[in-house]
Amino acid sequence: MHTYPTQAVILAGGQGSRLRPYTDDRPKPMVEIPGTGTPIIGHQLSWLAAEGVTDAVVSCGHLAEVLQEWLESAVLPLRVTTVVEKEPLGRGGGLKYAAQRLPDPEQPWYATNGDIWTRFSLREMAAFHAERDATATLALARPRIPWGAVETDAFGHITDFIESPPSPYLINAGVYAFSPAFTGMLPDRGDHERTTFPRLARERRLAGYPLPHGAYWRAIDTAKDLTEAARELGAQGSA
């Protein structure tokens, strides 16, 4: 019998410089997906609530007051607390600072980057995490390469052109499941991906959960990503 997390951290403090001018007056998670009328973080909170999460801590940074005002005025599907770092703590320190505000430190928790728009079963990921007795589990995505690829035969003749093929490599999808002990392993300052994650990998306590085939996933980094997300949303609606 697995205990599915009911609490989560959303890391929403990035500058979003590659999304300008959209992020000139709002933080990256407050950028709306065209055609939805809802900011990225609104989609994330709805998804988390649908997956059984009842409490979320949002770590704010760039233009924090804009995000906080929206959270205070919106009708939200779960309880939300916001934290703002008094000084830069780095990705690992910021994650630890936010995790310390979770309602139950003795229970597992999820985390997600504030620029990820995705839909897959977090409960299945949590079960995968528990079955491997992992301290931390990363969701893994296989994004499409943004360029056309060329296939050749052994002699060097071009045999085919493939538009935006899937990458041969899995990447960190920016969604996580953590055991309670993980919080104490995070640095007070610095980057956990250079310290905590490598340590757990050496100890075989870091797991990777490949997103199921057909699961929707997109990181919203640029204006092109917004356009693509809107197009994909339209395609899903007409399917």
Side-chain angles (χ1 to χ4, degrees):
M1 183 72 179
H2 301 298
T3 299
Y4 298 116
T6 59
Q7 52 188 2
V9 168
I10 299 177
L11 297 172
Q15 294 283 334
S17 56
R18 289 191 292 172
L19 259 177
R20 288 178 177 155
Y22 296 100
T23 52
D24 285 344
D25 61 355
R26 69 196 64 192
K28 195 175 184 182
M30 280 300 299
V31 174
E32 292 185 3
I33 303 294
T36 70
T38 303
I40 298 167
I41 194 166
H43 293 283
Q44 290 184 321
L45 292 171
S46 294
W47 173 52
L48 290 171
E51 290 294 324
V53 174
T54 59
D55 293 88
V57 177
V58 179
S59 178
C60 308
H62 173 64
L63 296 173
E65 65 281 359
V66 177
L67 178 51
Q68 290 173 318
E69 287 174 9
W70 183 83
L71 290 169
E72 288 171 3
S73 63
V75 178
L76 303 175
L78 38 62
R79 290 183 291 272
V80 175
T81 304
T82 61
V83 297
V84 182
E85 297 172 26
K86 297 180 178 66
E87 54 185 322
L89 300 175
R91 290 193 297 176
L95 183 59
K96 185 174 187 176
Y97 182 67
Q100 289 170 338
R101 294 291 302 276
L102 289 168
D104 193 341
E106 301 303 318
Q107 293 298 320
W109 50 289
Y110 299 118
T112 181
N113 296 342
D115 59 356
I116 301 299
W117 191 27
T118 186
R119 286 294 185 276
F120 66 92
S121 173
L122 283 174
R123 291 183 178 93
E124 289 183 8
M125 180 178 171
F128 179 97
H129 169 79
E131 286 162 1
R132 283 148 186 81
D133 196 25
T135 302
T137 295
L138 286 60
L140 304 176
R142 194 181 298 277
R144 290 193 170 274
I145 298 171
W147 307 283
V150 176
E151 286 191 346
T152 62
D153 62 19
F155 194 65
H157 290 120
I158 292 175
T159 59
D160 201 2
F161 296 90
I162 305 172
E163 187 63 31
S164 300
S167 167
Y169 298 103
L170 292 166
I171 66 163
N172 180 351
V175 181
Y176 312 90
F178 295 133
S179 297
F182 180 75
T183 306
M185 298 178 181
L186 287 164
D188 293 327
R189 293 176 181 272
D191 188 348
H192 62 294
E193 295 194 11
R194 296 178 180 272
T195 55
T196 312
F197 279 174
R199 169 190 164 190
L200 291 174
R202 290 192 299 270
E203 297 171 353
R204 297 294 187 268
R205 291 193 288 161
L206 185 67
Y209 174 73
L211 296 188
H213 180 72
Y216 184 81
W217 178 88
R218 179 172 286 279
I220 308 295
D221 288 321
T222 65
K224 183 179 179 182
D225 291 322
L226 282 174
T227 303
E228 289 294 308
R231 180 183 62 80
E232 289 159 354
L233 181 70
Q236 288 177 349
S238 61

